[in-house]
Amino acid sequence: MFFHVRMDVQLPPGLDAAPLLAQEKARAAELQRSGVWPGLWRVVGEYANISIFDVPTNDDLHEILSSLPLFPYMKIHVTPLATHPSKI
Amino acid sequence: MFFHVRMDVQLPPGLDAAPLLAQEKARAAELQRSGVWPGLWRVVGEYANISIFDVPTNDDLHEILSSLPLFPYMKIHVTPLATHPSKI
Amino acid sequence: MFFHVRMDVQLPPGLDAAPLLAQEKARAAELQRSGVWPGLWRVVGEYANISIFDVPTNDDLHEILSSLPLFPYMKIHVTPLATHPSKI
Amino acid sequence: MFFHVRMDVQLPPGLDAAPLLAQEKARAAELQRSGVWPGLWRVVGEYANISIFDVPTNDDLHEILSSLPLFPYMKIHVTPLATHPSKI
Amino acid sequence: MFFHVRMDVQLPPGLDAAPLLAQEKARAAELQRSGVWPGLWRVVGEYANISIFDVPTNDDLHEILSSLPLFPYMKIHVTPLATHPSKI
Amino acid sequence: MFFHVRMDVQLPPGLDAAPLLAQEKARAAELQRSGVWPGLWRVVGEYANISIFDVPTNDDLHEILSSLPLFPYMKIHVTPLATHPSKI
Amino acid sequence: MFFHVRMDVQLPPGLDAAPLLAQEKARAAELQRSGVWPGLWRVVGEYANISIFDVPTNDDLHEILSSLPLFPYMKIHVTPLATHPSKI
Amino acid sequence: MFFHVRMDVQLPPGLDAAPLLAQEKARAAELQRSGVWPGLWRVVGEYANISIFDVPTNDDLHEILSSLPLFPYMKIHVTPLATHPSKI
Amino acid sequence: MFFHVRMDVQLPPGLDAAPLLAQEKARAAELQRSGVWPGLWRVVGEYANISIFDVPTNDDLHEILSSLPLFPYMKIHVTPLATHPSKI
Amino acid sequence: MFFHVRMDVQLPPGLDAAPLLAQEKARAAELQRSGVWPGLWRVVGEYANISIFDVPTNDDLHEILSSLPLFPYMKIHVTPLATHPSKI
C-alpha cells in the first residue's frame, strides 16, 4: 500500500547533528533494502525530501516515520495513494 | 532527471468527457511504456494523481504535460527533484 | 485501518439533486451497516461532513469514496490515522 | 454534543517532557473512561491527534482542553459537529 | 451557549433575489426576537455578517443556520465560544 | 462604533506571567465597566479571545488595544463593523 | 478617520460594463471632491485599486462602498487606520 | 527599472481564442524587440509565464500589461526589483 | 512614482529597543520632510504601518527601506502603484 | 535549462554574519562569471532575491544552491522554466 510522504528538516541551531545524520542515513538504507521505502528524492534547493513508502498498514507507516532519528526535527505530511486506473 | 508532478482534474459540467478520457488513458500508457512516466498514483478520495516523470529537460516535461488530452482541464504543479544522498 | 475524511458538497446550480441525494443516503446507510463508515457527523453551519472510515486498504477507501453518488460534486480530503498510544 | 478537535504538539527544546507526558496519558485515560473523549487517533507521520469529544457544553470542552497537561504546548482547533441526516 | 458565526453571501448571477432577501430579513428578525441571535453586524465593505448565536446545542445551531433562506448562497464558518475568565 | 477583534496570546517561555495577567484582568474589567468592551468570549480550546469593542474612533481603539498589558504578547486582528440592515 | 481599502474588480463575462464604468467614474469623482476618498491608486498589472478613505464612522464607509456602482462585482477588504506616532 | 511579473492565463470556455492568441504573440514580439520585456519563460506544466520587464516607471508597466490582448483573461502579480549588491 | 508599503515590526525579546526607536522616529521625520514618505498610518491593533512612498526608482525605495533603523526587525511588503484613471 | 529561484534570507540573532556574507558574495560572483546564474535581483524592501539559473540538470542546481554559504539561513523555492513560444 503506497503513501506519498514529504519531509522538511529543520535542525535547531546548536545541535550536534553529525551523529544523528549518520543514524538517519543508516536507517534510511535499512528501510530501502527492506523494500518499504521504494522512492526517495531531494527537493531541489530545499532541505527536504519527497518519498514513496510501501507498507501494509497506517500503523506501520507511523511507526517507521516516528522512529526515524530525525523525526523530532522534521515536518512530515502524508498523502495516501491508490492504484491509478491508467497505470500499466 | 526526475520531477514530481501533481495533477488535479476539473472537468467542466456538460463536457462529453468519454473520448477525452480514452485518449488520456492511451497517451498515459504510451508515455509509461516509453519510460518517461515511471510513477503514477491516484490520490485517495480525489480526482487527482501524483506522478514521477523522468525526462532529459524542462522543455521535454512541458511538452509532455501540455499535450496531454486533459491538459486544459487540469491544475498542474511541478517540483524538480534531485538525487538524495541517502538513496541506495 | 482508520482514515479521517472531510467531504464538502457543492451542488451545481440547476442540478435536480433529489434523486442523487436519495441514492447517497441509501449508499451511506449501506456502508455504515457494513462497518466501513463508523463515524459520520455534519459540520455545523456547512454543507459538509467529517467522517471516520475503517477499511483494509487505501484502494478500498478510494473505491468507496469515488463511487459515492455525490462524488462528482464533493471536495474530499483524506488523512490517514494510526493507533494513538494513549487510546484505551 | 460532539466536537471534532485536532491537537498538534510542539514541545520546546530543553523541556523535561517525561513527567508531563505521563500526566497527559493518565488524564487522557481518565477522560476516555468518563466517556467525554470517545475518539482518539494519531495523525500518521505527525506529533498530532484527531479526536472526537462528547460534552454537554462549550464551557465543558474548553475546561477539559485547557487543563490538559500538554495544553501550553499544543495548537488546538475545534470544529462543532451536528447529527448527520444520513447517520444510522 | 455562544457561537461566533461569519456568513459571506454570494448570490448567483440571474437569481431573482428580492423574495429571498425579504424572507431572510423576516427570519432574522424572528430569530433575534426569540433571543438566539443576540449579535448581528455587517462587515464594512463586504456582503457578509459577523454574528453571535446563543443556542442550547450544536444541533440547534445547525438547524437554524441551514434553514436560513440564504443558506444555499452563503459560506458560513462557526467558532464555538466559552466564558472568558475576565468577563464581568 | 463597533469593531470585531480577535486576540491570540503567545507568552514567551520563561516569562513570569502572573503579574501581567493580573494587570490584564484588572484592565479588562475597567474597560468593560466603561462600556467600550461589550463583548468578550474565549475561543474554545485556544488561548485566544473574540471581542466586540464600541469606541468613538479608530484612534481610540488603537490606544486601548496597544496599552493592554498583554499587547506585546498578542497577535491582534481588527475588523470594522457596520449596522446590519436586518438588525432589530 | 482613515481606512485602507483594497478593491479587486471581477466583471462577469457578458456584462455590458460601459454604462456601469461611466457611473463608477462619476461617483468616484464626486466622492473625491467631497474629501472622503483622498487616496486612489491602481495596483500595477491588476484590475484593482488601493484607496484611503476619510470618513466619520464605520457606517459611513460601508454606505459609501456598498453603493458604488461596481460594488456587486468587487471583492473589498477594509483595514482601519490610526494616527502613526512618527507621522509629522 | 526591473520588475518581476507572473501571468496566469485562464481562457473562459467557449472563447474563440485563436485571434486573441495571435495578437498576443505579435504584441509580445513587439515589446521584446523594443527592449521592455527582456525575460520571458513558460512555467513548466502550467499555462503561465514568468517575465522580467524593464520600464522607466510604474505607469509604463501598468499601461503595457493592461493593454496586452490577453489581459482580461490573466491573473497578474508584479514584484518590483532592485539592483542586487552581488550582481556583477 | 508611488508604492504601497506595509511594515510589520517584530522586536526580538531582550533587545534594548529605545535607542533604535528614537533613530527610526528621527529618520521617518526626515524622510517625510523630504517628500518621499507622504503617507504613514498605524494599522489599528497591530505593531505595523501602512505607508505610501513617492520615489524616482525601485532602487531608491529599496535603499530607503533597507536603511531604516528597524529594517532588521521588520517584515516588509511592497506593491507598486500606478495612476488610477478615475483619480481627479 | 532555466530555473526561477527565490531565496529569502533569515540570519539568526547573534550570528557573526560578516565572513559568511563575504563568502556568499565571492561565490555569487564566481557562479555568475561561469554563466550558471544569469539573473539576480533584490526584491524591493526584503532581504530576498529573485534569480534565474541556467544549469544542465536538477542535480547541478541542487548542488549549487545547497553549497551556497548562506544556504543554512535561506528559505529557497525553485520553479522549473521552459521555452516560451512567444520568446523571440
Side-chain angles (χ1 to χ4, degrees), chain F residues 4-56:
Chain F
H4 176 272
V5 181
R6 178 173 169 139
M7 310 182 205
D8 288 79
V9 185
Q10 295 173 305
L11 299 179
L15 181 78
D16 177 15
L20 214 57
L21 296 178
Q23 290 168 38
E24 180 81 13
K25 198 180 180 88
R27 181 65 177 139
E30 186 179 21
L31 288 165
Q32 288 175 81
R33 276 190 293 264
S34 77
V36 302
W37 196 343
L40 170 57
W41 301 271
R42 179 63 82 211
V43 179
V44 173
E46 306 190 38
Y47 194 176
N49 73 66
I50 283 179
S51 292
I52 303 293
F53 280 84
D54 180 3
V55 293

Side-chain angles (χ1 to χ4, degrees), chain H residues 9 12 15 22 29 33-34 36 38 42 44 49 52 55-56 60-62 64 67-68 71 73-74 79 83-84 87-88:
Chain H
V9 185
L15 181 78
R33 276 189 293 264
S34 76
V36 303
R42 178 64 83 210
V44 173
N49 72 67
I52 302 294
V55 293
D60 292 311
L61 181 57
H62 186 69
I64 287 168
S67 63
L68 288 174
F71 179 73
Y73 311 115
M74 293 198 289
T79 305
T83 306
H84 195 284
K87 178 70 187 174
I88 61 169

Side-chain angles (χ1 to χ4, degrees), chain C residues 3 17 21 28 36 40 44 60 63 75-77 79 81 85:
Chain C
F3 291 87
L21 297 177
V36 302
L40 170 58
V44 173
D60 292 312
E63 187 173 325
K75 193 168 152 287
I76 295 182
H77 187 78
T79 306
L81 302 174

Side-chain angles (χ1 to χ4, degrees), chain C residues 10-79:
Chain C
Q10 295 173 307
L11 298 179
L15 181 78
D16 177 14
L20 215 57
L21 297 177
Q23 291 168 37
E24 180 83 13
K25 198 181 180 89
R27 180 66 178 138
E30 187 179 18
L31 288 165
Q32 288 174 81
R33 275 189 294 263
S34 76
V36 302
W37 196 341
L40 170 58
W41 300 272
R42 177 65 82 211
V43 178
V44 173
E46 306 190 38
Y47 194 175
N49 72 66
I50 283 179
S51 292
I52 302 294
F53 280 84
D54 180 2
V55 293
T57 70
N58 288 352
D59 278 344
D60 292 312
L61 182 57
H62 186 68
E63 187 173 325
I64 287 169
L65 293 175
S66 63
S67 63
L68 287 175
L70 285 179
F71 179 73
Y73 311 115
M74 293 197 289
K75 193 168 152 287
I76 295 182
H77 187 78
V78 175
T79 306

